[in-house]
Amino acid sequence: MSDVSAVKAALKSQVIETPSWGYGNSGTRFKVFAQPGVPRDPFEKLADAAQVHAHTGVAPKVSLHIPWDRVEDYAALTRYAEELGLRIGAINSNVFQDDDFKLGSVTHPDPKVRRKATDHLLECVDIMDATGSPDLKLWFSDGTNYPGQDDIAGRQDRLAEALAEVYERLGDDQRMLLEYKLFEPAFYTTDVPDWGTSYAHCLKLGPKAQVVVDTGHHAPGTNIEFIVAFLLREGKLGAFDFNSRFYADDDLMAGAADPFQLFRIMHEVVKNGGLKTETNVNFMLDQCHNIEAKIPAVIRSVTNVQEATAKALLIDTEALSAAQRSGDVLASNGVLMDAFNTDVRPLLAEVREELGLARDPFAAYLASGNQERIAADRVGGEQAGWGA
Amino acid sequence: MSDVSAVKAALKSQVIETPSWGYGNSGTRFKVFAQPGVPRDPFEKLADAAQVHAHTGVAPKVSLHIPWDRVEDYAALTRYAEELGLRIGAINSNVFQDDDFKLGSVTHPDPKVRRKATDHLLECVDIMDATGSPDLKLWFSDGTNYPGQDDIAGRQDRLAEALAEVYERLGDDQRMLLEYKLFEPAFYTTDVPDWGTSYAHCLKLGPKAQVVVDTGHHAPGTNIEFIVAFLLREGKLGAFDFNSRFYADDDLMAGAADPFQLFRIMHEVVKNGGLKTETNVNFMLDQCHNIEAKIPAVIRSVTNVQEATAKALLIDTEALSAAQRSGDVLASNGVLMDAFNTDVRPLLAEVREELGLARDPFAAYLASGNQERIAADRVGGEQAGWGA
Amino acid sequence: MSDVSAVKAALKSQVIETPSWGYGNSGTRFKVFAQPGVPRDPFEKLADAAQVHAHTGVAPKVSLHIPWDRVEDYAALTRYAEELGLRIGAINSNVFQDDDFKLGSVTHPDPKVRRKATDHLLECVDIMDATGSPDLKLWFSDGTNYPGQDDIAGRQDRLAEALAEVYERLGDDQRMLLEYKLFEPAFYTTDVPDWGTSYAHCLKLGPKAQVVVDTGHHAPGTNIEFIVAFLLREGKLGAFDFNSRFYADDDLMAGAADPFQLFRIMHEVVKNGGLKTETNVNFMLDQCHNIEAKIPAVIRSVTNVQEATAKALLIDTEALSAAQRSGDVLASNGVLMDAFNTDVRPLLAEVREELGLARDPFAAYLASGNQERIAADRVGGEQAGWGA
Amino acid sequence: MSDVSAVKAALKSQVIETPSWGYGNSGTRFKVFAQPGVPRDPFEKLADAAQVHAHTGVAPKVSLHIPWDRVEDYAALTRYAEELGLRIGAINSNVFQDDDFKLGSVTHPDPKVRRKATDHLLECVDIMDATGSPDLKLWFSDGTNYPGQDDIAGRQDRLAEALAEVYERLGDDQRMLLEYKLFEPAFYTTDVPDWGTSYAHCLKLGPKAQVVVDTGHHAPGTNIEFIVAFLLREGKLGAFDFNSRFYADDDLMAGAADPFQLFRIMHEVVKNGGLKTETNVNFMLDQCHNIEAKIPAVIRSVTNVQEATAKALLIDTEALSAAQRSGDVLASNGVLMDAFNTDVRPLLAEVREELGLARDPFAAYLASGNQERIAADRVGGEQAGWGA
């Protein structure tokens, strides 16, 4: 796509969804370091998300997490989002923190626990109805820690049963996004460990079930862009959870650990129609900001995704395709690298300027005084975090 | 399955298929070390396989590899196998050693190369007809080495097209086994890199297409027994390629690197009906014996698979199931480990004795003088190897 | 070592140290599931450790963790240990949970924080003096999450400075054990990420500094027994932290994930003199029991280490050495596997019987009623855990 | 280093050594695809290396490999190199392709084989004398494939003995560079598997022994730049073998798989004085060009290393250091990323222009007609390759 105005148009229409929990405290099993100014409730999380959108112009949607973001009045929360220029994105279910879920949720050996877990998922669909959220995002920590602990195939039966019940409950404009993850917190088996498992379940469920690719959830060496291309070809890529990693599921800022990988992923997205509105891929962030300031970290992640997208849009697709057809390995690789090696920050600065925004959203946010303001204002109460 | 006679019966009826190329020379990219007595042609490979069967009693089938095992007269080869008490197992296609296949075979950008590759696959089906082989095993080295080198999704289209043509050609009692592999020889993308890709293609092709699990073809940390359980639940596990590894696709003797993993795999096989004849799982070895004597190494691999199977059969399934249902993590793990910690060599020695074989096939082979005989006899000619 | 009485003597004299924190609550970043009967203070942790020793006969030492096990009166704690038949093992320092340590402890860019961290290490030496502990075990979570975050070499300078100060403070019969870990909680660099780094620092410090090998702290594919053999050859193996893993630092029960690896490690220990008292290797457990009952899980871990040791002791070393010298790959591997495939549970049952213990410590503990007793007694108060 | 003229000067003085074998045929264990125009002897390899130097201006040194590059008259070879504007770089020993070395070379159980291997290393020092090469580069494929196959610590003794003998033979201006590699071709143990092992041996040998970091020789997740910083701090980094990988030792073009990693490595090199002449780090390529044209692939690798170096030189070190000292995670990471995101191709084009070279060496080479010329000229004879 060599037409600059088309590239700019694509960049302006891109939507990156940010997660409510990314604004709260997080950490590792060793320690959660609290930060000043962290939100105490879902409304304050939305306010933080609004800051990200105000400075980047491409982050108008916010994922919620239930029960962390449970409120009395979802209509009020939705209205507040709208006042901030936001809308509610995916509803994420949490069936891993109740004591009953120690050995699993929808795959637990005990049917009573499974019932409780499925009911929680159904509640999440209720919240979708109440907030206008189009996406139910399911991630299950279900699995086992030791060989023999439970019946691997039996757990698949239970999983399929729960998913089918929830799928039935979905409205016409709602879909189910099924996330996979290699390991953690389960250490021997995970019930949805890879894209193949998620894909197989989604296929059986029907067109409203699609796969979520979390960029941090793979075994070392996995070629994520292959999975992205494959799922787009199959019409089964529902969403991304962007973040980055050096080792396990590190949940670092998107693009921080391997910007070239993020570019390759966005290349497959662009090439296979994933940026088109009708393909309906939800580009979400799913990250932890354990030691860095949270709002600026989300802003940097958004701009990292934008930069990777811009580079992918700048690829000379005709030259690439010609080189590929002719089997010229170095030429085709060269076309790709030309785009990657381009400094797209000036282009994105222009895009922002044309949207009426500051050229550098990170600097603009830091200069805005918001960080100091929330640190001063949000005193007392209990800071939001994974501990809910 | 605590009934010893039932365990013994299961062990007696197990069939492990050995690969013709395992008897030839092999090595790494650094060096192939030749060994004395290595076969010079497919007939001598069959003779070696017959030695393995003669001493173990459970290895009556031999996989062939085309073109390495191409002969003028397949009927003669088949008759020779029968005379040795063997039958022809899977036909493996080789579309990675012709100069035309440098950038791929069925996924090559050039349609002429794809035609040549597909024709080779069709020739393999002809050989199945001629030899009575029931299984066409497809492994593609197809992939790319560099980002941008070719179109990932486009290669899937080409793959699907070739597979469909070959699938159509299969007879009623023939099936297609589609192997996946994370990487090597391709270093950036592989066109069938994981079970999900193989599964998705097999699903579209139909019931005669099934997945092959090669135990050495996964990313570090992949839980292979999960894949086995999943595929058996879906009726899509066609075969194993057994071997073992510490790092990449090391192709060491089955059970040598991680006997506990092999046991866990066989537990899922037993538990999910994979040992039953009607499930029709082909238990193949696929290994290299680069520095160790080949026939004894195959014998040890066969007995390693037998030992893992015996332990899996000895699991107290009722106790396991009860512990699993009650959520007793340590008890259920303990039931599994009890079986693993059992020394099953005496049981297998009895099984062999009841079959009229020596109790220790490895020692019996070494004492037979065959190794010295082939070293003395097979002088001159060109030893078989991957270079074919 | 084929002499059974010598094997038994070695097994009787083996000492496995258990960690106080293994008896407390633990979990992942997603959730800590509390268990009934968990200790509320260091004294109760010692009582649990005494249960393990009472049933296994080989676990008379307990590692403490400061500040989790900080008490007013260390003499009283030491006396209590002695009354229970225990003694205090390694003192573990914790410089990763204070808010000041968010960006590091002894490698922090701020000298005031470094001072605070080093002072904590010195306090741990004071506690060694007070409790008679011979080992200061140092694990640093220090590292960075993002490229550029800090100066890698500069952090090594700071680390070396702190270690030197602490080393100077050690008494004649005290030593420093420096643990390494690939990653977590730091996600980009870790200041002591591998054995080489620990070894290099220990070498400069002097003979009282030695390396700790935690079996869960390596990159995928690392050959741990090689490291063990290498460090024993250099006189620099100070201790083990035993646990097991499938993926990252899963901290599962020792021997649960890969019993063959544990056996290979113990083979190198036995072969290279690591079991001799004068070599002074401390065999510690370092595990989490997130979903399984804690005391029984520690008992199983102890017996798993014993079984691996017994198998290693049973290796026919003369046959092994002869096969190795002759270059017979299959024979030498066969000697090793013969020992591994032996069921050593009867031998260990005899060893226990000769020590006046029950043959099966796991069953004996469950039958003892202790688990129900502590669940009933330890009500109220705050359960011990990593959150300390 | 913000001064552009200083950056340019550094880039002009950089020396990248290319390997003779990179111009020959190579492949995987599955197939070596021959290419037209590949050299038939060491002289033609030098001619190809001269092409790389002619177009890049920074590649005047060529590593040789013995016996692949064995010639009658090393003086003649050296003179030919000089005529081409080249000089002989490291001499690489090959003790892995003789049949005697099947189970090892300097660590082989048989002293006669060890003698032969050590003699080969000594011959390599003779060739250093004859060619003026300053560096003896040792990579050993020595290791074992199966647990128990040989004595791990015993092999270290043998290794140490051989290294000591060769070290003694070195002249005053010669050094030994000891390379490590995780695995391949050995699949269970490798005798020099990691930097720690190489470092420990080099330390004992003395100041003329240093470690080689091959960027493709690590376990997944290993932080290579940490190792680089550590070794530079210790004065023990002797050389790089640059190449890149997605999985195992893929030997792809440097910078092709992870340009951000190469940048981080070069940042540590620059920061820790590794670019200074007196530090004497040898920046070598060590790659295979299995499917791409070889000379252009080496040119691209050279420019990739140059681009990473240029970006590293452009880092605002004062701003970085200030941000690091203040503990500002996002600011310090931002300083690094600013440099990485810069398009340095125009700067390098200027550097080349100032050296009297074409701005784009890759394009200039393709336009030169050399590739067609060698394809036409080099007909007949046996192409060079790993098969010696």
Side-chain angles (χ1 to χ4, degrees):
Chain A
M1 197 188 276
S2 54
D3 176 8
V4 175
S5 65
V7 170
K8 283 184 175 175
L11 292 169
K12 285 172 189 167
S13 68
Q14 191 175 23
V15 172
I16 297 166
E17 183 169 318
T18 75
S20 68
W21 57 94
Y23 304 103
N25 286 322
S26 61
T28 69
R29 60 175 171 151
F30 295 101
K31 173 70 175 174
V32 174
F33 292 101
Q35 293 190 15
V38 157
R40 280 88 44 95
D41 60 43
F43 292 85
E44 290 183 351
K45 291 180 192 173
L46 288 179
D48 288 1
Q51 288 288 324
V52 174
H53 184 47
H55 289 90
T56 63
V58 296
K61 290 168 63 194
V62 186
S63 313
L64 299 186
H65 190 290
I66 305 301
W68 298 341
D69 295 325
R70 209 175 249 155
V71 293
E72 289 287 302
D73 184 349
Y74 287 102
L77 189 71
T78 309
R79 273 196 311 275
Y80 185 64
E82 283 162 7
E83 288 165 23
L84 293 165
L86 301 174
R87 57 188 190 273
I88 304 301
I91 302 298
N92 291 259
S93 64
N94 175 327
V95 282
F96 51 87
Q97 291 192 318
D98 189 292
D99 280 329
D100 281 340
F101 298 147
K102 188 167 82 164
L103 301 181
S105 66
V106 294
T107 67
H108 196 286
D110 183 341
K112 288 196 302 293
V113 177
R114 298 204 293 273
R115 184 67 258 154
K116 176 174 175 172
T118 307
D119 285 344
H120 180 83
L121 305 187
L122 296 171
E123 181 199 342
C124 289
V125 186
D126 294 340
I127 296 171
M128 293 169 71
D129 292 341
T131 58
S133 158
D135 293 333
L136 175 66
K137 187 158 71 100
L138 301 180
W139 171 67
F140 296 104
S141 74
D142 291 56
T144 66
N145 274 9
Y146 290 102
Q149 181 186 323
D150 202 0
D151 180 341
I152 294 175
R155 292 176 79 98
Q156 290 299 316
D157 294 339
R158 302 168 203 156
L159 173 64
E161 188 182 337
L163 292 177
E165 181 179 345
V166 176
Y167 188 86
E168 280 307 301
R169 166 68 182 80
L170 292 174
D172 288 345
D173 297 328
Q174 293 174 333
R175 66 176 165 172
M176 173 189 288
L177 300 173
L178 183 55
E179 190 171 349
Y180 59 90
K181 184 177 182 183
L182 179 67
F183 82 101
E184 194 212 21
F187 291 130
Y188 169 54
T189 58
T190 296
D191 292 320
V192 190
D194 54 19
W195 76 265
T197 306
S198 175
Y199 169 82
H201 280 284
C202 288
L203 211 59
K204 285 186 184 156
L205 288 166
K208 290 190 290 186
Q210 288 183 303
V211 180
V212 181
V213 174
D214 182 304
T215 50
H217 286 190
H218 304 84
T222 303
N223 185 319
I224 300 174
E225 58 268 30
F226 176 91
I227 298 172
V228 168
F230 196 94
L231 289 173
L232 280 168
R233 184 177 171 275
E234 299 282 327
K236 278 294 183 192
L237 180 67
F240 281 99
D241 267 356
F242 285 120
N243 52 59
S244 71
R245 52 163 273 187
F246 290 97
Y247 306 95
D249 184 34
D250 306 345
D251 279 331
L252 300 174
M253 299 184 295
D258 192 346
F260 184 46
Q261 182 189 60
L262 184 55
F263 161 74
R264 297 192 313 261
I265 290 172
M266 291 311 304
H267 167 50
E268 295 304 326
V269 166
V270 169
K271 177 148 206 334
N272 295 290
L275 222 53
K276 293 181 188 158
T277 312
E278 60 269 31
T279 310
N280 200 18
V281 176
N282 188 349
F283 297 88
M284 301 185 283
L285 301 181
D286 182 18
Q287 310 174 145
C288 297
H289 307 295
N290 298 347
I291 60 168
E292 67 271 22
K294 292 161 197 299
I295 297 174
V298 178
I299 290 173
R300 180 164 294 168
S301 303
V302 168
T303 58
N304 283 348
V305 174
Q306 285 185 295
E307 290 175 20
T309 308
K311 290 179 179 192
L313 288 165
L314 287 175
I315 292 170
D316 183 339
T317 52
E318 282 187 32
L320 181 64
S321 183
Q324 290 175 343
R325 278 194 308 273
S326 71
D328 189 332
V329 174
L330 289 169
S332 50
N333 177 245
V335 173
L336 201 82
M337 296 313 293
D338 267 350
F340 180 69
N341 286 326
T342 303
D343 188 344
V344 295
R345 292 173 300 173
L347 173 70
L348 280 161
E350 274 180 51
V351 165
R352 288 180 196 116
E353 212 161 44
E354 290 170 19
L355 290 170
L357 301 169
R359 293 174 64 90
D360 180 344
F362 188 83
Y365 173 76
L366 289 189
S368 75
N370 184 71
Q371 201 68 20
E372 295 76 14
R373 207 150 42 231
I374 58 176
D377 289 356
R378 296 174 181 173
V379 173
E382 197 180 347
Q383 293 190 323
W386 285 21
Chain B
M1 197 189 278
S2 54
D3 176 8
V4 173
S5 65
V7 169
K8 282 183 176 175
L11 291 169
K12 285 171 191 168
S13 66
Q14 191 175 23
V15 172
I16 297 166
E17 183 169 318
T18 75
S20 68
W21 57 94
Y23 303 103
N25 286 322
S26 60
T28 69
R29 60 175 170 152
F30 295 101
K31 173 71 176 171
V32 174
F33 292 101
Q35 293 190 15
V38 157
R40 279 88 44 95
D41 60 41
F43 292 86
E44 290 183 350
K45 291 181 191 172
L46 289 179
D48 288 0
Q51 287 289 324
V52 174
H53 184 47
H55 289 90
T56 63
V58 296
K61 289 168 65 194
V62 186
S63 312
L64 299 186
H65 190 289
I66 305 302
W68 298 340
D69 295 326
R70 210 176 250 156
V71 292
E72 288 286 302
D73 183 348
Y74 287 101
L77 189 71
T78 308
R79 273 196 311 276
Y80 185 64
E82 282 162 9
E83 286 164 24
L84 293 164
L86 302 174
R87 58 186 190 275
I88 304 301
I91 302 299
N92 292 259
S93 63
N94 175 327
V95 281
F96 51 88
Q97 290 192 320
D98 189 291
D99 280 329
D100 281 341
F101 298 148
K102 187 167 84 165
L103 302 181
S105 66
V106 294
T107 68
H108 195 287
D110 183 340
K112 287 196 302 295
V113 177
R114 297 203 293 273
R115 185 66 258 154
K116 176 175 175 170
T118 306
D119 284 344
H120 180 84
L121 306 187
L122 296 171
E123 181 198 342
C124 288
V125 186
D126 294 340
I127 296 171
M128 294 169 71
D129 292 342
T131 58
S133 159
D135 292 333
L136 175 66
K137 187 157 73 98
L138 302 179
W139 171 68
F140 297 105
S141 73
D142 292 54
T144 65
N145 274 8
Y146 290 102
Q149 181 186 325
D150 201 0
D151 179 340
I152 295 175
R155 292 176 78 97
Q156 291 299 316
D157 294 339
R158 302 169 203 155
L159 173 64
E161 189 182 336
L163 292 177
E165 182 179 344
V166 176
Y167 188 86
E168 280 307 302
R169 167 69 182 79
L170 293 175
D172 287 345
D173 296 328
Q174 294 175 332
R175 66 176 164 173
M176 173 189 287
L177 299 173
L178 183 55
E179 190 171 349
Y180 59 90
K181 183 176 181 181
L182 178 66
F183 81 101
E184 196 214 17
F187 292 131
Y188 169 55
T189 59
T190 296
D191 292 321
V192 189
D194 55 18
W195 76 265
T197 306
S198 176
Y199 170 82
H201 280 284
C202 288
L203 210 60
K204 284 186 185 155
L205 289 167
K208 290 189 289 185
Q210 287 183 303
V211 180
V212 180
V213 174
D214 181 305
T215 50
H217 286 189
H218 303 84
T222 303
N223 185 319
I224 300 174
E225 58 267 33
F226 176 91
I227 297 171
V228 169
F230 195 94
L231 288 173
L232 279 168
R233 183 178 171 273
E234 299 282 328
K236 278 294 183 192
L237 181 67
F240 281 100
D241 267 356
F242 285 120
N243 52 59
S244 72
R245 52 162 272 186
F246 290 97
Y247 306 95
D249 184 32
D250 306 343
D251 279 330
L252 301 174
M253 299 184 295
D258 191 346
F260 184 45
Q261 181 189 60
L262 184 56
F263 161 75
R264 298 192 312 262
I265 290 171
M266 291 311 304
H267 166 50
E268 294 304 327
V269 167
V270 170
K271 178 149 205 331
N272 295 290
L275 222 53
K276 293 181 188 157
T277 312
E278 60 267 31
T279 309
N280 198 20
V281 177
N282 188 350
F283 297 89
M284 300 184 284
L285 301 181
D286 182 19
Q287 310 175 143
C288 298
H289 307 294
N290 299 346
I291 60 168
E292 67 271 21
K294 291 163 199 297
I295 298 173
V298 178
I299 291 175
R300 181 163 293 166
S301 303
V302 168
T303 58
N304 283 349
V305 173
Q306 286 185 292
E307 290 175 20
T309 307
K311 291 180 179 193
L313 288 164
L314 287 174
I315 292 171
D316 183 339
T317 52
E318 282 187 32
L320 181 64
S321 183
Q324 290 175 343
R325 279 194 307 274
S326 72
D328 189 332
V329 175
L330 290 169
S332 50
N333 175 246
V335 172
L336 201 81
M337 296 313 293
D338 268 350
F340 180 68
N341 286 326
T342 303
D343 188 342
V344 294
R345 292 172 301 174
L347 173 70
L348 280 161
E350 275 180 49
V351 164
R352 288 180 197 119
E353 212 160 44
E354 291 170 18
L355 290 170
L357 301 169
R359 293 174 64 91
D360 180 343
F362 187 85
Y365 173 75
L366 290 188
S368 74
N370 184 70
Q371 201 68 21
E372 296 74 14
R373 206 151 39 232
I374 56 176
D377 289 356
R378 296 176 180 170
V379 173
E382 197 178 349
Q383 293 190 323
W386 286 20
Chain C
M1 198 190 276
S2 54
D3 176 7
V4 173
S5 64
V7 169
K8 282 183 176 175
L11 291 168
K12 285 172 189 167
S13 67
Q14 191 175 23
V15 172
I16 297 165
E17 184 169 318
T18 75
S20 68
W21 57 94
Y23 304 103
N25 286 321
S26 60
T28 70
R29 60 175 170 150
F30 295 100
K31 172 70 175 173
V32 174
F33 292 101
Q35 294 190 14
V38 157
R40 279 87 45 96
D41 60 42
F43 292 86
E44 290 183 350
K45 292 180 191 172
L46 288 179
D48 288 1
Q51 288 288 325
V52 174
H53 184 47
H55 290 90
T56 63
V58 296
K61 291 169 63 194
V62 186
S63 312
L64 299 185
H65 191 290
I66 305 301
W68 298 341
D69 295 325
R70 209 175 250 154
V71 292
E72 288 287 303
D73 184 348
Y74 287 101
L77 190 71
T78 308
R79 273 196 310 277
Y80 184 65
E82 283 163 7
E83 288 165 24
L84 293 165
L86 302 174
R87 56 188 191 275
I88 303 301
I91 302 297
N92 292 259
S93 63
N94 175 326
V95 281
F96 50 87
Q97 291 192 319
D98 189 291
D99 280 329
D100 282 340
F101 298 148
K102 188 167 83 164
L103 303 180
S105 65
V106 294
T107 67
H108 196 285
D110 183 341
K112 287 196 302 293
V113 177
R114 297 204 293 273
R115 185 67 257 152
K116 176 174 175 172
T118 307
D119 285 344
H120 180 83
L121 306 187
L122 295 172
E123 180 198 342
C124 288
V125 186
D126 294 341
I127 296 171
M128 293 170 71
D129 292 342
T131 58
S133 159
D135 293 334
L136 175 65
K137 188 158 71 102
L138 302 180
W139 172 68
F140 297 105
S141 74
D142 292 56
T144 65
N145 274 9
Y146 290 102
Q149 181 186 325
D150 201 1
D151 179 341
I152 294 175
R155 291 175 79 98
Q156 290 298 316
D157 295 339
R158 302 170 203 153
L159 172 65
E161 188 182 337
L163 291 177
E165 182 179 345
V166 176
Y167 189 86
E168 280 307 303
R169 166 68 182 80
L170 292 175
D172 287 344
D173 297 328
Q174 294 175 333
R175 66 176 165 174
M176 172 188 287
L177 300 173
L178 183 56
E179 190 171 348
Y180 60 90
K181 184 177 181 181
L182 179 67
F183 82 101
E184 195 213 20
F187 291 131
Y188 168 54
T189 59
T190 296
D191 292 321
V192 189
D194 54 19
W195 76 265
T197 306
S198 175
Y199 169 82
H201 281 284
C202 287
L203 211 59
K204 284 186 184 154
L205 289 166
K208 290 190 289 186
Q210 288 183 303
V211 180
V212 180
V213 174
D214 182 305
T215 50
H217 286 190
H218 304 83
T222 303
N223 185 320
I224 300 174
E225 57 268 31
F226 176 91
I227 298 172
V228 168
F230 195 94
L231 289 172
L232 279 167
R233 184 178 171 273
E234 299 282 327
K236 278 295 183 192
L237 180 67
F240 281 100
D241 267 357
F242 285 120
N243 53 60
S244 72
R245 52 163 273 187
F246 290 97
Y247 305 96
D249 185 33
D250 306 344
D251 279 329
L252 300 174
M253 298 185 295
D258 192 346
F260 184 46
Q261 182 189 59
L262 184 56
F263 161 74
R264 298 192 312 261
I265 290 172
M266 291 311 303
H267 167 50
E268 294 304 327
V269 167
V270 169
K271 177 148 207 332
N272 295 289
L275 222 53
K276 293 180 187 158
T277 312
E278 60 269 30
T279 310
N280 199 19
V281 176
N282 188 349
F283 298 88
M284 302 185 283
L285 301 181
D286 182 18
Q287 310 174 140
C288 298
H289 307 295
N290 299 346
I291 60 168
E292 67 271 22
K294 292 162 198 299
I295 297 174
V298 178
I299 290 174
R300 181 164 292 167
S301 304
V302 168
T303 58
N304 283 349
V305 174
Q306 285 185 294
E307 291 175 19
T309 307
K311 290 179 179 193
L313 288 165
L314 288 174
I315 291 171
D316 183 338
T317 52
E318 283 187 33
L320 181 64
S321 183
Q324 290 175 344
R325 278 194 308 273
S326 71
D328 189 333
V329 175
L330 290 170
S332 51
N333 177 245
V335 173
L336 201 82
M337 296 313 293
D338 267 351
F340 179 68
N341 287 325
T342 303
D343 188 344
V344 295
R345 292 174 299 173
L347 173 70
L348 280 161
E350 274 180 50
V351 164
R352 288 181 197 115
E353 211 160 44
E354 290 170 19
L355 290 170
L357 301 169
R359 292 174 64 91
D360 180 344
F362 187 85
Y365 174 75
L366 290 189
S368 75
N370 184 70
Q371 201 67 22
E372 295 74 14
R373 206 149 44 232
I374 57 176
D377 289 356
R378 296 175 180 172
V379 173
E382 197 179 346
Q383 293 190 324
W386 285 20
Chain D
M1 195 189 277
S2 54
D3 176 7
V4 173
S5 65
V7 169
K8 284 183 175 176
L11 291 169
K12 286 171 189 168
S13 66
Q14 191 174 23
V15 172
I16 297 165
E17 183 169 319
T18 75
S20 68
W21 58 93
Y23 303 104
N25 286 323
S26 60
T28 69
R29 60 174 171 152
F30 295 102
K31 172 70 176 172
V32 174
F33 292 100
Q35 293 190 14
V38 157
R40 280 90 41 98
D41 59 43
F43 292 86
E44 290 183 350
K45 291 181 192 172
L46 288 178
D48 288 1
Q51 287 288 325
V52 174
H53 184 46
H55 289 91
T56 63
V58 296
K61 289 168 65 193
V62 186
S63 312
L64 299 186
H65 190 290
I66 305 301
W68 298 341
D69 295 325
R70 210 175 250 156
V71 292
E72 288 287 302
D73 183 349
Y74 288 100
L77 189 71
T78 309
R79 272 196 311 277
Y80 184 64
E82 283 162 8
E83 287 164 25
L84 294 165
L86 302 175
R87 57 187 189 275
I88 304 300
I91 302 298
N92 292 258
S93 63
N94 175 326
V95 282
F96 51 88
Q97 290 192 319
D98 189 293
D99 280 328
D100 281 341
F101 298 147
K102 187 167 84 163
L103 301 180
S105 65
V106 294
T107 68
H108 195 286
D110 183 340
K112 287 196 302 293
V113 177
R114 298 204 293 273
R115 184 66 259 154
K116 176 175 175 171
T118 306
D119 285 344
H120 180 84
L121 306 187
L122 295 172
E123 181 199 341
C124 289
V125 186
D126 294 340
I127 296 170
M128 294 170 71
D129 292 342
T131 57
S133 158
D135 293 332
L136 175 66
K137 187 158 71 100
L138 302 180
W139 171 68
F140 296 104
S141 74
D142 291 56
T144 65
N145 274 9
Y146 290 102
Q149 181 185 324
D150 201 0
D151 179 340
I152 294 175
R155 291 175 79 97
Q156 290 299 315
D157 295 339
R158 302 170 203 155
L159 172 65
E161 189 182 336
L163 292 177
E165 183 179 343
V166 176
Y167 188 87
E168 280 308 301
R169 166 70 181 80
L170 292 175
D172 288 345
D173 296 329
Q174 294 175 332
R175 66 178 164 171
M176 173 188 287
L177 299 172
L178 183 55
E179 191 171 348
Y180 60 90
K181 183 176 181 181
L182 178 66
F183 82 101
E184 196 213 19
F187 292 131
Y188 169 55
T189 58
T190 295
D191 292 321
V192 190
D194 54 19
W195 77 265
T197 305
S198 175
Y199 170 83
H201 280 285
C202 287
L203 211 59
K204 284 184 186 160
L205 289 166
K208 290 190 288 186
Q210 288 184 302
V211 180
V212 180
V213 174
D214 181 305
T215 50
H217 286 190
H218 303 84
T222 303
N223 184 320
I224 299 175
E225 57 267 32
F226 176 91
I227 297 172
V228 169
F230 196 94
L231 288 173
L232 279 168
R233 183 178 172 273
E234 299 282 328
K236 278 293 183 192
L237 181 67
F240 281 99
D241 267 356
F242 284 121
N243 52 59
S244 71
R245 52 164 273 187
F246 290 97
Y247 306 95
D249 184 33
D250 306 344
D251 279 330
L252 301 174
M253 299 185 294
D258 191 345
F260 184 45
Q261 181 189 58
L262 184 57
F263 161 75
R264 299 192 312 262
I265 289 172
M266 291 311 304
H267 167 50
E268 294 304 326
V269 167
V270 170
K271 178 152 205 329
N272 294 288
L275 222 53
K276 293 180 187 158
T277 312
E278 60 268 30
T279 309
N280 199 20
V281 176
N282 188 350
F283 297 89
M284 300 185 284
L285 301 181
D286 182 18
Q287 311 175 143
C288 297
H289 307 295
N290 298 346
I291 60 168
E292 67 271 22
K294 291 162 198 298
I295 298 173
V298 178
I299 290 174
R300 182 163 293 167
S301 303
V302 168
T303 58
N304 283 348
V305 174
Q306 285 185 295
E307 290 175 20
T309 308
K311 290 179 179 193
L313 288 164
L314 287 175
I315 291 170
D316 183 339
T317 52
E318 282 187 33
L320 180 64
S321 183
Q324 290 175 343
R325 279 194 307 274
S326 71
D328 189 332
V329 175
L330 290 169
S332 50
N333 175 246
V335 172
L336 201 82
M337 296 313 294
D338 268 350
F340 180 69
N341 287 326
T342 303
D343 188 343
V344 295
R345 292 174 299 173
L347 173 69
L348 279 161
E350 275 180 50
V351 164
R352 289 181 196 115
E353 212 160 43
E354 291 170 19
L355 290 170
L357 301 169
R359 293 174 63 90
D360 180 343
F362 187 85
Y365 173 75
L366 290 189
S368 74
N370 185 69
Q371 201 67 22
E372 295 75 14
R373 206 150 41 233
I374 57 176
D377 290 354
R378 296 175 180 171
V379 173
E382 197 178 347
Q383 293 190 324
W386 285 22

